[in-house]
């Protein structure tokens, strides 16, 4: 009898086990079908909306679970009938739940607070200098890639980062993204805390933090996060604070939802430090700042600003810093040391974030304990000075994830958040209206569409340290280029010692290739007066005049030399131009100095060191006047015959299609951006200089030489496409009409000259 019951019991247990396994297997396969893996942490992700098929699947799973409940009850009854009253083997506290109760579907995780899809999330980032401004873009891309909510970025910046990031976001025009700037230079020094509004319109705050000695490589800006309760608007109640070396691998709304888990006393959310730094055992006589246990890392912080203000955060951290500095003398890890010292004294203030919200990739960390699957990764923190060269068993995977966002096309992140009302943006609305007014049946639609394209612009992509001196004759070389002309940069830097402003037309991936090229070049890395401005690719035409305007607008000298990247200026031209500007008293007159252009068909050229050498090479046929055999009208008015014997500058008159390379004041007219690709981009500019009554003066001892290269894609289209040439003619006629409206009768000569050709 006993043996019979044992057989029945084993059979029933096997049936229950099989049913449970089948139900979980079915659920797993269904999850794969809909792109959701059971390996994902069950309480962290936002539950996707379920369609009819998913509801049917859920119903079937519930039926299977009810059958399991009934089987367990039958098993319990059978065991009770044949037992001595002792509790059945394998029973749990849930076994007595009635069928259909919710306990069978219960999760071990606390209920996750959801974030409304249109709730505005606030993110604060301290960013200073050229390099940090470049790094923070990768962080922003990773956030935008995953986000489903409107975002408000609060940047605490120096003047350099403010200019770079303000231009970037204005030109990026990402929907439902708002940006505010706060002056870090005022945050770091001052004798009396007070709010003010700077001349540029962004909030500033005078607050002393410069009195805190800091050994960390972040410098004084590594202390700025301590000041956020005063730096950020008083009506801002909570904010996520991030370092620039962070990469997100999930929706930031998941992190924002953690605010809902804070107790009434908790005000700061932090991840435990994953190194042994605060344990004080890294080397002999290692003495870190006081910390609670292993301490906390401040690369990712959740701040309840309203509670911190009520607690008197400002006085709290100041008193703590003053007390500890009496023995520590300086901070080693910037604001992180002070945050930890405060938490040591007030442990109830901190909410411990799970460590996957800040996987710290510095050497010798316990970061590998934060993840067992790829799906566990939420935030990666490159908090080692070595950055991507850090030692970690899985660093190759992390590096590839970072590089994905580094080279990701930022234009693809301009996606709308449907269902969320966005604040009105006048530039965006005007652009949208202009695009809607375009006629798609217009044969020149593509040209007009390119003209209206809003390109992302990243100014000063590399370190730029040129300080404009109060020199009324200083001049900057201005040019534009794409990836296929990079080889010209080193040669130009060897020929021109003065400041240079370059606009580079590149994709996100090409910009990173350029960065590596420039950093590896001894010539380029030694020059700090060369400004590189990235204009990101978009559209089918090369926006040549937009590029010229970007490079022109970001010069700092009174005069500019408007040239093209394919030309090498003569040795010493920088000093010669400055002397000429002074001798000709250009500050008191309206003039454009013409630098005569020549060309060679040889890729290897012994560059002439003087005008006499150039004339000799011209006579021998190794040099030619520029485009004499293809486009003589473009430079013939320079009067090369007169230039051969000239010893003083001479004046020339404007003629149709004249397009010399000139030196003018920085406030000269902008290039007309309707001209894209090949044709009339310089001609139109010289025409407007003449319309504004600029004198055209040819310099007698200046010259530049065009180096050979393969034809550009746009000139090939011009030569092969009658439609291309027809649209260029249409744009020329429209330009003439606009010129006549601006300059009246004085512009009639251009229309007359055009018709006489």
């Amino acid at each position: 009898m006993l043996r019979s019951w044992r057989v029945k019991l084993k059979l029933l247990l096997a049936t229950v086990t099989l049913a449970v396994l089948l139900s979980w297997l079915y659920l797993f396969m269904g999850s794969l079908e809909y792109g959701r893996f059971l390996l994902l942490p069950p309480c962290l992700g936002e539950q996707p909306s379920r369609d009819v098929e998913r509801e049917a699947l859920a119903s079937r799973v519930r039926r299977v679970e009810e059958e399991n409940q009934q089987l367990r009850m039958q098993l319990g009854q059978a065991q009770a009938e044949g037992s001595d009253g002792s509790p059945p083997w394998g029973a749990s506290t849930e076994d007595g739940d009635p069928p259909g109760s919710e306990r069978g579907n219960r999760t071990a995780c606390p209920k996750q607070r959801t974030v409304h899809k249109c709730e505005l999330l606030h993110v604060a980032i301290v960013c200073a200098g050229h390099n940090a401004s470049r790094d923070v873009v990768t962080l922003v891309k990773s956030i935008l890639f995953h986000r489903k909510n409107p975002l408000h970025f609060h940047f605490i910046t120096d003047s350099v980062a403010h200019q770079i990031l303000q231009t970037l976001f204005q030109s990026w025009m990402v929907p439902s993204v708002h940006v505010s700037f706060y002056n870090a230079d005022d945050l770091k020094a001052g004798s009396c805390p007070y709010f003010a509004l700077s001349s540029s319109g962004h909030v500033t705050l005078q607050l002393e933090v410069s009195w805190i000695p800091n050994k960390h490589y972040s410098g004084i800006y590594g202390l700025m996060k301590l000041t956020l309760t005063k730096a950020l608007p008083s009506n801002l109640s909570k904010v996520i604070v991030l370092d620039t070396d962070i990469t997100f691998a999930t929706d930031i709304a998941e992190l924002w939802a953690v605010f809902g888990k804070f107790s009434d006393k908790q005000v700061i959310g932090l991840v435990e430090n994953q190194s042994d730094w605060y344990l004080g055992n890294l080397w002999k006589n290692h003495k870190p700042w006081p910390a609670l246990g292993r301490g906390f890392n401040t690369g990712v912080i959740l701040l309840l600003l309203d509670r911190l203000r009520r607690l008197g955060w400002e006085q709290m951290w100041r008193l703590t810093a003053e007390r500890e500095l009496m023995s520590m003398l300086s901070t080693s890890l910037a604001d992180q040391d002070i945050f930890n010292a405060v938490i040591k004294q007030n442990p109830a203030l901190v909410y411990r974030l799970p460590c996957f919200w800040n996987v710290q990739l510095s050497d010798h960390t316990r970061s590998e304990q934060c993840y067992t699957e790829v799906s566990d990764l939420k935030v990666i923190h490159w908090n080692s000075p070595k950055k991507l060269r850090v030692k970690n068993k899985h660093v190759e995977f992390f590096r590839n994830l970072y590089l994905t966002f580094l080279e990701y096309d930022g234009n693809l992140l301009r996606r709308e958040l449907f269902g969320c009302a966005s604040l009105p943006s006048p530039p965006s609305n005007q652009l949208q209206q202009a695009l809607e007014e375009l006629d798609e049946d217009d044969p020149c639609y593509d040209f007009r569409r390119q003209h209206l394209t809003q390109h992302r612009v990243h100014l000063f992509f590399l370190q730029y340290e040129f300080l404009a001196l109060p020199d009324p004759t200083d001049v900057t070389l201005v040019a534009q280029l794409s990836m296929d002309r990079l080889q010209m940069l080193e040669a130009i830097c060897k020929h021109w010692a003065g400041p240079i402003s370059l606009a580079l037309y590149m994709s996100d991936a090409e910009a990173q290739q350029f960065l590596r090229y420039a950093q590896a070049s001894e010539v380029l890395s030694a020059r700090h007066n060369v400004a590189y401005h990235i204009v990101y690719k978009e559209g089918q035409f090369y926006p040549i005049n937009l590029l010229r305007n970007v490079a022109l607008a970001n010069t700092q000298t009174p005069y500019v030399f408007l040239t093209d990247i394919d030309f090498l200026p003569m040795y010493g031209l920088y000093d010669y131009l400055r002397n000429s500007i002074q001798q000709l008293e250009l500050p008191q007159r309206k003039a454009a100095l013409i630098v005569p252009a020549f060309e060679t068909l040889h890729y290897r050229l012994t560059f002439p060191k003087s005008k006499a050498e150039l004339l000799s090479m011209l006579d021998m046929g190794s040099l030619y006047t520029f485009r004499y055999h293809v486009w003589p009208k473009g430079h013939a008015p320079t009067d090369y015959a007169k230039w051969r014997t000239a010893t003083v500058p001479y004046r020339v008159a404007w003629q149709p299609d004249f397009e010399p390379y000139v030196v003018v004041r920085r406030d000269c007219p902008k290039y007309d951006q309707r001209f894209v690709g090949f044709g009339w981009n310089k001609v139109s500019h010289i025409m407007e200089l003449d319309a504004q009554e600029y004198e055209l003066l040819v310099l007698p001892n200046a010259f530049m030489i065009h180096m050979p290269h393969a034809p550009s894609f746009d000139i090939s289209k011009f030569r092969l496409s009658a439609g291309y040439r027809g649209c260029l003619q249409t744009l020329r006629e429209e330009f003439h009409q606009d010129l006549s409206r601006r300059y009246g009768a004085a512009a009639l000569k251009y229309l007359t000259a055009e018709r006489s050709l």
Side-chain angles (χ1 to χ4, degrees):
M1 183 68 177
L2 181 60
R3 184 174 182 179
S4 174
W5 273 108
R6 287 178 178 174
V7 171
K8 290 181 180 179
L9 179 60
K10 289 181 179 180
L11 179 61
L12 197 55
L13 284 172
T15 304
V16 172
T17 303
L18 180 61
V20 172
L21 289 175
L22 287 174
S23 65
W24 277 107
L25 179 61
Y26 195 93
L27 180 60
F28 181 74
M29 296 304 293
S31 299
L32 287 179
E33 179 182 355
Y34 289 95
R36 184 172 177 84
F37 294 86
L38 291 179
L39 293 177
L40 287 172
C43 303
L44 302 173
E46 179 184 342
Q47 294 295 329
S49 60
R50 300 180 181 273
D51 53 18
V52 176
E53 293 180 348
R54 187 167 297 188
E55 286 292 346
L57 175 62
S59 178
R60 295 179 67 177
V61 170
R62 284 195 295 270
R63 286 201 303 270
V64 172
E65 290 181 343
E66 289 174 2
E67 293 173 2
N68 292 342
Q69 292 270 2
Q70 293 174 1
L71 285 171
R72 288 207 302 271
M73 288 185 64
Q74 293 174 8
L75 175 61
Q77 291 173 0
Q79 289 174 321
E81 291 175 359
S83 68
D84 57 358
S86 61
W89 178 85
S92 72
T93 56
E94 294 188 19
D95 286 1
D97 291 344
S101 72
E102 294 181 358
R103 294 194 66 175
N105 291 329
R106 203 168 52 177
T107 175
C109 303
K111 185 177 180 181
Q112 179 77 16
R113 177 183 177 272
T114 58
V115 177
H116 189 272
K117 64 175 289 187
C118 295
E119 183 178 349
L120 182 63
L121 314 184
H122 294 269
V123 180
I125 303 171
V126 178
C127 184
H130 301 87
N131 295 336
S133 300
R134 190 174 61 246
D135 295 338
V136 79
V137 176
T138 307
L139 163 61
V140 171
K141 282 184 183 179
S142 70
I143 294 174
L144 294 179
F145 181 84
H146 297 287
R147 65 109 179 205
K148 300 180 182 68
N149 286 72
L151 296 170
H152 190 152
F153 289 101
H154 302 264
F155 287 104
I156 295 85
T157 64
D158 63 353
S159 58
V160 170
H162 177 254
Q163 180 187 9
I164 294 171
L165 295 177
Q166 185 177 53
T167 302
L168 177 65
F169 278 96
Q170 285 177 350
S171 59
W172 203 343
M173 299 179 70
V174 183
S176 301
V177 170
H178 318 286
V179 183
S180 298
F181 293 94
Y182 310 86
N183 195 333
D185 291 334
D186 290 336
L187 282 165
K188 69 183 181 181
S191 58
C192 177
Y194 66 89
F195 282 104
L197 191 66
S198 72
S199 58
S200 60
H202 60 280
V203 177
T204 64
L205 172 70
Q206 295 286 342
L207 184 66
E208 288 189 358
V209 293
S210 57
W211 57 272
I212 304 175
N214 180 26
K215 295 179 180 178
H216 193 255
Y217 63 84
S218 61
I220 191 67
Y221 297 99
L223 300 164
M224 294 294 138
K225 285 182 282 189
L226 295 166
T227 69
L228 293 181
T229 54
K230 282 200 170 183
L232 298 178
S234 58
N235 61 349
L236 182 59
S237 62
K238 55 186 176 181
V239 67
I240 296 173
V241 187
L242 302 172
D243 281 355
T244 59
D245 54 359
I246 291 288
T247 304
F248 265 77
T250 192
D251 188 353
I252 195 172
E254 296 180 21
L255 180 57
W256 186 264
V258 178
F259 277 117
K261 296 184 177 183
F262 279 36
S263 70
D264 294 339
K265 294 183 179 180
Q266 291 168 334
V267 295
I268 303 174
L270 292 167
V271 171
E272 187 179 52
N273 201 45
Q274 291 158 21
S275 75
D276 294 340
W277 176 269
Y278 287 108
L279 299 181
N281 57 8
L282 294 184
W283 59 80
K284 187 178 180 180
N285 299 325
H286 175 213
K287 185 183 178 184
W289 276 56
L292 193 64
R294 306 186 69 87
F296 296 90
N297 184 278
T298 56
V300 177
I301 315 176
L302 272 60
L303 292 181
L304 285 176
L305 296 171
D306 49 357
R307 292 187 188 177
L308 283 167
R309 294 182 185 112
R310 290 196 297 269
L311 286 173
W313 169 255
E314 175 71 14
Q315 184 179 18
M316 186 183 297
W317 76 257
R318 279 177 171 270
L319 292 176
T320 301
E322 289 173 357
R323 181 181 64 250
E324 297 300 332
L325 283 171
M326 293 179 67
S327 58
M328 301 302 299
L329 303 181
S330 68
T331 61
S332 297
L333 300 181
D335 64 84
Q336 183 169 302
D337 284 338
I338 298 176
F339 270 103
N340 274 288
V342 173
I343 292 170
K344 175 74 172 178
Q345 296 295 319
N346 306 273
L349 298 180
V350 68
Y351 175 86
R352 292 177 179 265
L353 291 170
C355 67
F356 47 66
W357 284 118
N358 186 351
V359 178
Q360 300 151 36
L361 297 183
S362 55
D363 291 341
H364 311 299
T365 71
R366 302 161 70 241
S367 60
E368 294 175 16
Q369 300 179 21
C370 295
Y371 55 89
T372 56
E373 299 286 345
V374 172
S375 57
D376 294 337
L377 295 170
K378 300 296 179 183
V379 174
I380 300 168
H381 186 188
W382 304 89
N383 63 319
S384 167
K386 298 178 182 179
K387 300 307 178 187
L388 297 187
R389 295 177 289 105
V390 69
K391 295 178 181 178
N392 181 283
K393 186 166 64 176
H394 305 112
V395 70
E396 197 63 31
F397 169 80
F398 295 126
R399 188 183 293 120
N400 289 336
L401 180 64
Y402 173 82
L403 293 176
T404 298
F405 292 115
L406 182 72
E407 301 184 352
Y408 189 82
D409 185 354
N411 299 328
L412 301 179
L413 298 170
R414 289 170 169 162
R415 55 176 182 259
E416 293 281 351
L417 295 181
F418 295 107
C420 297
S422 58
L423 295 175
S425 171
S428 178
N429 294 342
Q430 293 171 7
L431 177 61
Q432 187 61 36
Q433 182 179 355
L435 289 172
E436 291 173 356
E437 292 174 355
L438 291 180
D439 180 7
E440 294 190 21
D441 295 327
D442 181 354
C444 302
Y445 171 81
D446 290 337
F447 285 84
R448 304 189 194 282
R449 179 68 177 81
Q450 183 73 53
H451 175 213
L452 295 175
T453 298
Q454 183 66 42
H455 293 268
R456 282 179 299 136
V457 178
H458 189 133
L459 302 177
F460 302 103
F461 195 67
L462 295 180
Q463 192 76 18
Y464 184 72
E465 299 176 356
F466 173 75
L467 297 176
L469 301 175
D471 183 353
T473 66
D474 207 358
V475 57
T476 298
L477 186 149
V478 174
Q480 42 71 37
L481 69 151
S482 55
M483 196 70 178
D484 58 345
R485 299 290 193 271
L486 280 185
Q487 72 278 2
M488 291 296 299
L489 292 182
E490 289 190 351
I492 288 177
C493 286
K494 292 176 181 178
H495 281 247
W496 179 271
I500 301 174
S501 181
L502 300 172
L504 299 89
Y505 192 54
M506 296 179 169
S507 66
D508 293 73
E510 288 174 340
Q512 297 307 314
Q513 294 177 36
F514 159 70
L515 175 63
R516 293 189 289 270
Y517 170 82
Q519 290 175 339
S521 167
E522 293 183 5
V523 175
L524 300 185
S525 59
R527 292 286 295 270
H528 300 293
N529 62 346
V530 180
Y532 303 97
H533 313 296
I534 305 295
V535 177
Y536 288 100
K537 284 183 175 180
E538 190 170 2
Q540 59 176 305
F541 295 103
Y542 187 76
I544 186 167
N545 278 356
L546 166 67
L547 297 172
R548 286 173 171 149
N549 286 336
V550 168
L552 174 60
N554 290 283
T555 56
Q556 300 178 7
T557 56
Y559 290 90
V560 289
F561 173 31
L562 305 178
T563 181
D564 277 338
I565 199 67
D566 306 316
F567 283 89
L568 289 180
M570 73 175 196
Y571 291 110
L573 182 61
Y574 173 59
D575 293 330
Y576 176 78
L577 291 180
R578 295 171 66 191
N579 292 332
S580 298
I581 291 169
Q582 183 176 12
Q583 292 171 4
L584 294 171
E585 299 181 342
L586 234 58
Q588 286 77 44
R589 60 198 294 191
K590 205 173 187 179
L593 307 182
I594 296 174
V595 178
F598 300 84
E599 69 175 322
T600 179
L601 302 180
H602 303 288
Y603 284 89
R604 292 186 178 181
L605 174 71
T606 302
F607 202 90
K609 295 181 175 59
S610 64
K611 179 178 179 178
E613 284 189 23
L614 180 136
L615 291 175
S616 176
M617 296 173 71
L618 200 63
D619 294 336
M620 291 189 298
S622 56
L623 288 179
Y624 309 91
T625 56
F626 185 56
R627 290 294 185 260
Y628 82 98
H629 58 302
V630 176
W631 184 244
K633 293 187 295 183
H635 293 267
T638 301
D639 195 349
Y640 287 98
K642 185 173 183 178
W643 182 82
R644 293 180 68 103
T645 58
T647 57
V648 295
Y650 58 92
R651 186 170 182 173
V652 296
W654 173 87
Q655 294 182 32
D657 297 324
F658 192 25
E659 52 177 3
Y661 295 95
V662 297
V663 177
V664 291
R665 288 192 60 84
R666 183 178 58 187
D667 58 0
C668 69
K670 293 182 179 180
Y671 288 87
D672 194 301
Q673 293 179 193
R674 83 184 80 196
F675 295 105
V676 296
F678 177 80
W680 252 62
N681 44 73
K682 292 195 303 294
V683 171
S684 57
H685 189 244
I686 296 300
M687 189 179 295
E688 187 149 9
L689 290 178
D690 184 69
Q692 291 194 9
E693 299 181 343
Y694 274 72
E695 295 180 78
L696 300 177
L697 301 174
V698 180
L699 295 174
N701 294 308
F703 61 86
M704 55 196 296
I705 300 177
H706 181 268
M707 305 304 292
H709 58 79
S712 67
F713 181 59
D714 287 294
I715 195 172
S716 298
K717 288 193 292 186
F718 173 82
R719 292 170 177 171
L720 297 174
S721 172
Y724 192 112
R725 296 190 295 273
C727 286
L728 182 57
Q729 179 60 34
T730 300
L731 296 177
R732 289 168 61 176
E733 293 171 358
E734 293 174 357
F735 174 77
H736 279 301
Q737 294 170 7
D738 291 343
L739 212 60
S740 298
R741 280 192 289 269
R742 289 199 299 271
Y743 301 105
L748 290 177
K749 70 174 184 178
Y750 308 116
L751 188 58
T752 303
E754 179 77 10
R755 290 174 177 172
S756 65
L757 294 177

